[in-house]
């Protein structure tokens, strides 16, 4: 499949979890560039640790999330 560059890179938070992993895999299979992030992954992202935000969000377009972080 060819890479879909129309949308740039998409950030998938919680990408090492049950649902996030499936979302990241589906996005990649659809040809999207995926930045897979999680609290313990290669790309660190934790809603409760603002020091992790810059690295995960670098060079991404603005976005809105409805994630509640309810798993904590």
């Amino acid at each position: 499949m060819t890479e879909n560059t129309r949308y740039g890179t998409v950030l998938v938070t919680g990408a090492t979890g049950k649902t996030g992993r499936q979302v990241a895999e589906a996005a990649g299979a659809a040809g999207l560039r995926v930045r897979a992030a999680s609290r313990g992954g290669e790309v660190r992202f934790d809603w409760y640790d603002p020091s992790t935000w810059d690295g995960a969000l670098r060079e991404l377009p603005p976005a809105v999330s409805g994630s509640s972080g309810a798993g904590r």
Side-chain angles (χ1 to χ4, degrees):
M1 175 159 289
T2 60
E3 184 175 64
N4 183 341
T5 58
R6 177 179 178 190
Y7 300 107
T9 300
V10 295
L11 174 68
V12 178
T13 60
T16 59
K18 182 178 179 180
T19 302
R21 180 178 292 120
Q22 292 178 19
V23 170
E25 289 173 359
L32 297 172
R33 283 182 277 164
V34 175
R35 182 175 302 163
S38 64
R39 288 189 308 260
E42 183 177 332
V43 176
R44 287 200 61 235
F45 183 83
D46 184 340
W47 284 113
Y48 300 100
D49 182 358
S51 72
T52 66
W53 298 359
D54 284 345
L57 299 171
R58 183 174 295 119
E59 298 176 7
L60 294 179
V64 175
S65 173
S67 174
S68 68
R72 288 195 74 147

PDB file of all heavy atoms in Angstrom, residues 54-69:
ATOM      1  N   ASP A  54       5.888  17.552  24.374  1.00  0.00           N
ATOM      2  CA  ASP A  54       6.615  18.141  23.246  1.00  0.00           C
ATOM      3  C   ASP A  54       7.142  17.089  22.282  1.00  0.00           C
ATOM      4  O   ASP A  54       6.995  17.228  21.069  1.00  0.00           O
ATOM      5  CB  ASP A  54       7.770  19.015  23.730  1.00  0.00           C
ATOM      6  CG  ASP A  54       7.311  20.358  24.261  1.00  0.00           C
ATOM      7  OD1 ASP A  54       6.151  20.739  24.013  1.00  0.00           O
ATOM      8  OD2 ASP A  54       8.121  21.021  24.932  1.00  0.00           O
ATOM      9  N   GLY A  55       7.756  16.055  22.792  1.00  0.00           N
ATOM     10  CA  GLY A  55       8.312  15.019  21.918  1.00  0.00           C
ATOM     11  C   GLY A  55       7.260  14.289  21.113  1.00  0.00           C
ATOM     12  O   GLY A  55       7.448  14.004  19.932  1.00  0.00           O
ATOM     13  N   ALA A  56       6.134  13.998  21.732  1.00  0.00           N
ATOM     14  CA  ALA A  56       5.077  13.268  21.036  1.00  0.00           C
ATOM     15  C   ALA A  56       4.361  14.143  20.016  1.00  0.00           C
ATOM     16  O   ALA A  56       3.953  13.670  18.956  1.00  0.00           O
ATOM     17  CB  ALA A  56       4.080  12.712  22.048  1.00  0.00           C
ATOM     18  N   LEU A  57       4.200  15.422  20.332  1.00  0.00           N
ATOM     19  CA  LEU A  57       3.414  16.323  19.482  1.00  0.00           C
ATOM     20  C   LEU A  57       4.237  17.100  18.470  1.00  0.00           C
ATOM     21  O   LEU A  57       3.676  17.773  17.614  1.00  0.00           O
ATOM     22  CB  LEU A  57       2.640  17.307  20.366  1.00  0.00           C
ATOM     23  CG  LEU A  57       1.644  16.660  21.324  1.00  0.00           C
ATOM     24  CD1 LEU A  57       1.098  17.694  22.288  1.00  0.00           C
ATOM     25  CD2 LEU A  57       0.522  15.988  20.552  1.00  0.00           C
ATOM     26  N   ARG A  58       5.557  16.995  18.532  1.00  0.00           N
ATOM     27  CA  ARG A  58       6.444  17.766  17.655  1.00  0.00           C
ATOM     28  C   ARG A  58       6.067  17.580  16.191  1.00  0.00           C
ATOM     29  O   ARG A  58       5.902  16.462  15.717  1.00  0.00           O
ATOM     30  CB  ARG A  58       7.886  17.342  17.868  1.00  0.00           C
ATOM     31  CG  ARG A  58       8.892  18.153  17.052  1.00  0.00           C
ATOM     32  CD  ARG A  58      10.330  17.819  17.382  1.00  0.00           C
ATOM     33  NE  ARG A  58      10.615  18.208  18.757  1.00  0.00           N
ATOM     34  CZ  ARG A  58      10.991  17.362  19.721  1.00  0.00           C
ATOM     35  NH1 ARG A  58      11.140  16.091  19.464  1.00  0.00           N
ATOM     36  NH2 ARG A  58      11.233  17.798  20.936  1.00  0.00           N
ATOM     37  N   GLU A  59       5.907  18.704  15.500  1.00  0.00           N
ATOM     38  CA  GLU A  59       5.652  18.763  14.062  1.00  0.00           C
ATOM     39  C   GLU A  59       4.332  18.117  13.645  1.00  0.00           C
ATOM     40  O   GLU A  59       4.169  17.710  12.497  1.00  0.00           O
ATOM     41  CB  GLU A  59       6.816  18.147  13.281  1.00  0.00           C
ATOM     42  CG  GLU A  59       8.119  18.890  13.500  1.00  0.00           C
ATOM     43  CD  GLU A  59       9.300  18.234  12.813  1.00  0.00           C
ATOM     44  OE1 GLU A  59       9.104  17.266  12.052  1.00  0.00           O
ATOM     45  OE2 GLU A  59      10.430  18.679  13.062  1.00  0.00           O
ATOM     46  N   LEU A  60       3.387  18.038  14.560  1.00  0.00           N
ATOM     47  CA  LEU A  60       2.058  17.531  14.211  1.00  0.00           C
ATOM     48  C   LEU A  60       1.087  18.705  14.131  1.00  0.00           C
ATOM     49  O   LEU A  60       1.257  19.701  14.830  1.00  0.00           O
ATOM     50  CB  LEU A  60       1.560  16.529  15.262  1.00  0.00           C
ATOM     51  CG  LEU A  60       2.326  15.224  15.370  1.00  0.00           C
ATOM     52  CD1 LEU A  60       1.741  14.356  16.462  1.00  0.00           C
ATOM     53  CD2 LEU A  60       2.309  14.471  14.037  1.00  0.00           C
ATOM     54  N   PRO A  61       0.048  18.583  13.312  1.00  0.00           N
ATOM     55  CA  PRO A  61      -0.943  19.655  13.251  1.00  0.00           C
ATOM     56  C   PRO A  61      -1.759  19.687  14.536  1.00  0.00           C
ATOM     57  O   PRO A  61      -1.774  18.716  15.295  1.00  0.00           O
ATOM     58  CB  PRO A  61      -1.824  19.256  12.051  1.00  0.00           C
ATOM     59  CG  PRO A  61      -1.653  17.779  11.945  1.00  0.00           C
ATOM     60  CD  PRO A  61      -0.250  17.485  12.415  1.00  0.00           C
ATOM     61  N   PRO A  62      -2.438  20.795  14.792  1.00  0.00           N
ATOM     62  CA  PRO A  62      -3.295  20.878  15.979  1.00  0.00           C
ATOM     63  C   PRO A  62      -4.351  19.772  15.964  1.00  0.00           C
ATOM     64  O   PRO A  62      -4.797  19.337  14.906  1.00  0.00           O
ATOM     65  CB  PRO A  62      -3.957  22.252  15.872  1.00  0.00           C
ATOM     66  CG  PRO A  62      -3.077  23.028  14.953  1.00  0.00           C
ATOM     67  CD  PRO A  62      -2.466  22.026  14.010  1.00  0.00           C
ATOM     68  N   ALA A  63      -4.739  19.325  17.144  1.00  0.00           N
ATOM     69  CA  ALA A  63      -5.731  18.263  17.253  1.00  0.00           C
ATOM     70  C   ALA A  63      -6.520  18.425  18.540  1.00  0.00           C
ATOM     71  O   ALA A  63      -6.111  19.137  19.456  1.00  0.00           O
ATOM     72  CB  ALA A  63      -5.042  16.901  17.243  1.00  0.00           C
ATOM     73  N   VAL A  64      -7.631  17.731  18.598  1.00  0.00           N
ATOM     74  CA  VAL A  64      -8.456  17.694  19.798  1.00  0.00           C
ATOM     75  C   VAL A  64      -8.660  16.241  20.166  1.00  0.00           C
ATOM     76  O   VAL A  64      -8.896  15.403  19.295  1.00  0.00           O
ATOM     77  CB  VAL A  64      -9.830  18.373  19.557  1.00  0.00           C
ATOM     78  CG1 VAL A  64     -10.714  18.228  20.752  1.00  0.00           C
ATOM     79  CG2 VAL A  64      -9.651  19.827  19.179  1.00  0.00           C
ATOM     80  N   SER A  65      -8.549  15.926  21.437  1.00  0.00           N
ATOM     81  CA  SER A  65      -8.754  14.554  21.896  1.00  0.00           C
ATOM     82  C   SER A  65      -9.922  14.491  22.864  1.00  0.00           C
ATOM     83  O   SER A  65     -10.091  15.368  23.698  1.00  0.00           O
ATOM     84  CB  SER A  65      -7.490  14.049  22.595  1.00  0.00           C
ATOM     85  OG  SER A  65      -7.738  12.782  23.171  1.00  0.00           O
ATOM     86  N   GLY A  66     -10.682  13.432  22.740  1.00  0.00           N
ATOM     87  CA  GLY A  66     -11.768  13.201  23.680  1.00  0.00           C
ATOM     88  C   GLY A  66     -11.372  12.189  24.743  1.00  0.00           C
ATOM     89  O   GLY A  66     -12.200  11.754  25.535  1.00  0.00           O
ATOM     90  N   SER A  67     -10.096  11.830  24.797  1.00  0.00           N
ATOM     91  CA  SER A  67      -9.616  10.845  25.755  1.00  0.00           C
ATOM     92  C   SER A  67      -9.696  11.384  27.170  1.00  0.00           C
ATOM     93  O   SER A  67      -9.320  12.522  27.447  1.00  0.00           O
ATOM     94  CB  SER A  67      -8.164  10.481  25.444  1.00  0.00           C
ATOM     95  OG  SER A  67      -7.642   9.633  26.430  1.00  0.00           O
ATOM     96  N   SER A  68     -10.197  10.565  28.065  1.00  0.00           N
ATOM     97  CA  SER A  68     -10.343  11.001  29.444  1.00  0.00           C
ATOM     98  C   SER A  68      -9.190  10.565  30.345  1.00  0.00           C
ATOM     99  O   SER A  68      -9.067  11.026  31.449  1.00  0.00           O
ATOM    100  CB  SER A  68     -11.640  10.448  30.024  1.00  0.00           C
ATOM    101  OG  SER A  68     -11.535   9.024  30.143  1.00  0.00           O
ATOM    102  N   GLY A  69      -8.379   9.635  29.861  1.00  0.00           N
ATOM    103  CA  GLY A  69      -7.333   9.085  30.716  1.00  0.00           C
ATOM    104  C   GLY A  69      -7.937   8.294  31.872  1.00  0.00           C
ATOM    105  O   GLY A  69      -7.344   8.163  32.932  1.00  0.00           O
TER     106      GLY A  69
END
